[in-house]
Amino acid sequence: MDELSIQLAAKMIDDSEYLVALTGAGISRESNIPTFRGEDGLWRNYNAMELATPEAYANDPELVWEWYTWRHGLIRDCTPNPAHMTIAKWEKDGVLKHLITQNVDDLHYRAGSRKLTHVHGDIFGLKCTRCGYKSRLNEPSEDIPECPECYANLRPDVVWFGESLDAQVMNTVYDQLERADTIIVIGTSGIVQPAASFPLVVKNQGGSMIEINVERTALSNMADMLVSGKAGEVLPLIDQHLL
Ligand code: OAD
């Protein structure tokens, strides 16, 4: 990672009037939560179509639930890293106006972020597969939880492949993107839509984009400033250079 790109990214943040952030699995990698793509990514070792679709849950709820229980335990035992902490600090300092995350873990919240939208849901959230009932898990559950109202299986309140994103959540996201003059994109491959097109909204209205990633991504050509490095190292360094 080079010092100049850190300084230039810090200047872009200083000069911004409305900064929003978009994060992906890469920001939680240094907290030991596996990403989806890449060398040790979840989709390298598991078949998404057998684990993360409504059809998969209908066909084999035990298998899908077992996979989520494993991930619940994993995430519960992880802690926010310096990247999550820096993002939360920027919100507190008024530097960052809103955070959009594709992550279903709760590390941003635990780091202190509150102006936060989870576009792909909350892995600890529960919703009924039949009625509108919703609740939240306090701790991982070995057994498939049952709806207290209609006795159908509850499922994780996350967005699975083939499902659309929540309309209200999308309204909030587009409202924030339309206000933004700068977007900082951290640790996402920029492949999954519609999240991958969020930076384009900011760019199309004349805004700027900063990207932080360990490698080039589908979004890199669009970036005005590319900082190559680990989020947990880069973000605290940028923070040190803010005026
Ligand atoms: P991916 O696994 O596709 O991409 C992770 C990105 O993080 C890659 O570009 C890595 O290079 C980068 N990365 C890894 N370690 C990093 C580090 N320490 N610092 C910075 N960057 C790092 O994850 P997402 O882009 O988040 O969907 O995936 C998008 C969606 O696909 C996920 O939200 C999930 C998945 O299917 C749902 O759950 C609906």
Side-chain angles (χ1 to χ4, degrees), residues 24-26 29-30 35-37 43 102-104 120 159 161 187-190 192 212-215 217 229-231:
R29 184 68 199 87
E30 289 155 84
T35 59
F36 293 93
R37 295 162 191 88
W43 298 149
Q102 298 167 83
N103 298 345
V104 293
H120 291 161
V159 179
F161 288 100
T188 178
S189 57
V192 174
I212 298 169
N213 204 299
V214 290
E215 58 188 31
T217 72
K230 292 182 178 178

Side-chain angles (χ1 to χ4, degrees), residues 33-89:
I33 299 178
T35 59
F36 293 93
R37 295 162 191 88
E39 255 169 56
D40 55 354
L42 290 173
W43 298 149
R44 279 280 171 105
N45 302 308
Y46 298 93
N47 183 342
M49 294 305 135
E50 285 172 10
L51 293 168
T53 66
E55 294 75 21
Y57 196 46
N59 289 342
D60 196 343
E62 281 82 14
L63 175 74
V64 173
W65 192 258
E66 196 183 317
W67 191 64
Y68 275 92
T69 300
W70 169 69
R71 288 176 66 200
H72 288 146
L74 190 84
I75 292 169
R76 188 198 48 188
D77 294 342
C78 291
T79 48
N81 67 55
H84 299 104
M85 300 311 289
T86 304
I87 295 276
K89 175 180 183 287

Side-chain angles (χ1 to χ4, degrees), residues 99-112:
L99 166 61
I100 302 162
T101 187
Q102 298 167 83
N103 298 345
V104 293
D105 68 53
D106 57 355
L107 295 187
H108 280 304
Y109 187 87
R110 281 199 260 150

Side-chain angles (χ1 to χ4, degrees), residues 195-230:
S197 67
F198 294 163
L200 201 61
V201 176
V202 178
K203 290 286 294 181
N204 282 347
Q205 62 203 18
S208 309
M209 171 186 164
I210 304 166
E211 183 179 43
I212 298 169
N213 204 299
V214 290
E215 58 188 31
R216 283 189 73 84
T217 72
L219 302 174
S220 299
N221 283 343
M222 234 199 285
D224 299 278
M225 183 52 56
L226 212 61
V227 188
S228 171
K230 292 182 178 178

Side-chain angles (χ1 to χ4, degrees), residues 5-238:
S5 61
I6 300 273
Q7 283 176 15
L8 291 172
K11 169 134 182 47
M12 284 172 71
I13 292 174
D14 277 333
D15 291 347
S16 71
E17 301 219 320
Y18 205 101
L19 175 72
V20 297
L22 171 67
T23 62
I27 198 166
S28 294
R29 184 68 199 87
E30 289 155 84
S31 294
N32 287 326
I33 299 178
T35 59
F36 293 93
R37 295 162 191 88
E39 255 169 56
D40 55 354
L42 290 173
W43 298 149
R44 279 280 171 105
N45 302 308
Y46 298 93
N47 183 342
M49 294 305 135
E50 285 172 10
L51 293 168
T53 66
E55 294 75 21
Y57 196 46
N59 289 342
D60 196 343
E62 281 82 14
L63 175 74
V64 173
W65 192 258
E66 196 183 317
W67 191 64
Y68 275 92
T69 300
W70 169 69
R71 288 176 66 200
H72 288 146
L74 190 84
I75 292 169
R76 188 198 48 188
D77 294 342
C78 291
T79 48
N81 67 55
H84 299 104
M85 300 311 289
T86 304
I87 295 276
K89 175 180 183 287
W90 288 353
E91 178 189 314
K92 200 160 154 264
D93 295 348
V95 173
L96 181 75
K97 303 297 187 284
H98 200 83
L99 166 61
I100 302 162
T101 187
Q102 298 167 83
N103 298 345
V104 293
D105 68 53
D106 57 355
L107 295 187
H108 280 304
Y109 187 87
R110 281 199 260 150
S113 289
R114 293 296 178 270
K115 292 176 180 167
L116 165 67
T117 302
H118 281 270
V119 284
H120 291 161
D122 163 16
I123 198 165
F124 297 102
L126 295 170
K127 66 176 178 184
C128 181
T129 50
R130 187 186 297 147
C131 70
Y133 179 83
K134 283 198 177 200
S135 68
R136 203 164 187 276
L137 273 177
N138 293 322
E139 52 186 75
S141 156
E142 294 294 334
D143 301 318
I144 301 173
E146 197 175 77
C147 177
E149 286 174 8
C150 77
Y151 308 108
N153 285 342
L154 295 178
R155 56 164 276 186
D157 193 3
V158 298
V159 179
W160 279 334
F161 288 100
E163 295 184 314
S164 31
L165 275 59
D166 181 86
Q168 244 178 330
V169 165
M170 282 303 96
N171 282 342
T172 306
V173 165
Y174 284 106
D175 177 54
Q176 290 299 321
L177 293 171
E178 279 159 21
R179 293 179 198 207
D181 62 358
T182 308
I183 184 163
I184 183 163
V185 179
I186 307 156
T188 178
S189 57
I191 285 171
V192 174
Q193 295 292 355
S197 67
F198 294 163
L200 201 61
V201 176
V202 178
K203 290 286 294 181
N204 282 347
Q205 62 203 18
S208 309
M209 171 186 164
I210 304 166
E211 183 179 43
I212 298 169
N213 204 299
V214 290
E215 58 188 31
R216 283 189 73 84
T217 72
L219 302 174
S220 299
N221 283 343
M222 234 199 285
D224 299 278
M225 183 52 56
L226 212 61
V227 188
S228 171
K230 292 182 178 178
E233 294 169 8
V234 169
L235 286 172
L237 283 175
I238 294 179

